[in-house]
Amino acid sequence: EVQVVESGGGLVNPGGSLRLSCGASGFIFGAYAMNWVRQAPGKGLQWVSSISSGGGISIYYADSVKGRFTISRDNTKNSLYLQMTSLRVEDTAVYFCARESRDGFHLDYWGQGTLVTVSS
Amino acid sequence: QSALTQPASVSGSPGQSITISCSGTSSDVGGSKYVSWYQQHPGKAPKLMISDVSKRPSGVSFRFSGSKSGNTASLTISGLQAEDEADYYCSSYASSSTYVFGTGTKVTVL
């Protein structure tokens, strides 16, 4: 069974940093591109970042997080990461880890999310 | 990276059909064959319902169908059921190699 499980969320002060992790199981992690998507409380989905199956070849970010967030992966540990720095109040959201299908650009499996709250 | 435009809410009675629209531009919906739709129940993770404009993943009810015309994509739910009450989001893979989501539509079953 395909599973992705996020962790690392919590309360952080504005300007602070946090590192999210996503553990994957039930599929060959290194064969799939992965994404982070977030959802502010009571709001819609917002794509954050993506990383290709091999890691550094293709990495993309939403304009709102470019220069502050860094996506990475460790295929030996079946894990995806999101390093978040210079956090802002508006970064408060549930962050979802999502697998990108190999037969098209859509997200076929999602985790339950981890909540990041940026507040003083 | 502006969000795609969806109606805030759509409602229907059990057994009826409803359609949710998703309007974008030639840089996303209009120029992409990778339009997808997601269903999200409160407090849950999104679930893929339609991929590549009109493909239904294994396990998704045949009552869900997708289409596209120009810069607007649509999701139709036929034979509306109580379990279909949820939020629905469209998404497009854009020319900038990024994903853009719709504003979301709350479906209410009367």
Side-chain angles (χ1 to χ4, degrees):
Chain A
E1 179 190 6
V2 172
Q3 282 195 326
V4 290
V5 179
E6 306 89 341
S7 61
L11 175 64
V12 60
N13 290 325
S17 299
L18 206 59
R19 189 197 197 202
L20 305 183
S21 299
C22 170
S25 61
F27 63 101
I28 302 173
F29 181 72
Y32 290 82
M34 297 295 293
N35 288 254
W36 288 100
V37 177
R38 69 184 180 183
Q39 186 171 35
K43 302 297 184 181
L45 301 174
Q46 181 188 30
W47 175 81
V48 173
S49 181
S50 67
I51 185 168
S52 59
S53 57
I57 297 176
S58 296
I59 289 177
Y60 301 97
Y61 298 99
D63 288 345
S64 58
V65 307
K66 200 172 295 183
R68 300 187 300 122
F69 290 11
T70 301
I71 191 172
S72 62
R73 64 189 297 162
D74 185 338
N75 289 344
T76 65
K77 296 182 178 179
N78 291 346
S79 294
L80 174 72
Y81 306 102
L82 186 68
Q83 179 68 49
M84 304 184 294
T85 63
S86 301
L87 282 162
R88 305 167 180 169
V89 172
E90 55 265 35
D91 294 320
T92 294
V94 173
Y95 285 73
F96 295 101
C97 166
R99 190 183 84 168
E100 186 172 291
S101 171
R102 292 188 67 188
D103 65 354
F105 292 103
H106 50 269
L107 306 177
D108 58 0
Y109 285 93
W110 298 61
Q112 290 300 311
T114 187
L115 176 62
V116 172
T117 303
V118 184
S119 175
S120 54
Chain B
Q1 295 178 345
S2 298
L4 307 175
T5 302
Q6 298 180 231
S9 62
V10 173
S11 62
S13 300
Q16 287 187 329
S17 293
I18 62 169
T19 297
I20 303 169
S21 61
C22 170
S23 296
T25 68
S26 58
S27 296
D28 39 64
V29 174
S32 176
K33 58 181 179 179
Y34 302 114
V35 176
S36 50
W37 289 88
Y38 302 87
Q39 176 192 65
Q40 187 182 33
H41 287 106
K44 301 296 186 181
K47 174 187 176 183
L48 178 67
M49 304 302 284
I50 295 289
S51 67
D52 301 346
V53 177
S54 59
K55 293 182 180 177
R56 208 168 37 249
S58 174
V60 172
S61 172
F62 67 93
R63 298 184 298 103
F64 291 83
S65 62
S67 63
K68 189 184 83 167
S69 177
N71 295 339
T72 300
S74 298
L75 174 71
T76 297
I77 309 175
S78 58
L80 198 62
Q81 298 180 0
E83 67 207 48
D84 300 332
E85 187 161 294
D87 294 326
Y88 291 83
Y89 295 90
C90 62
S91 177
S92 175
Y93 192 72
S95 58
S96 54
S97 299
T98 62
Y99 286 90
V100 58
F101 283 93
T103 50
T105 298
K106 181 177 179 60
V107 168
T108 301
V109 181
L110 301 172

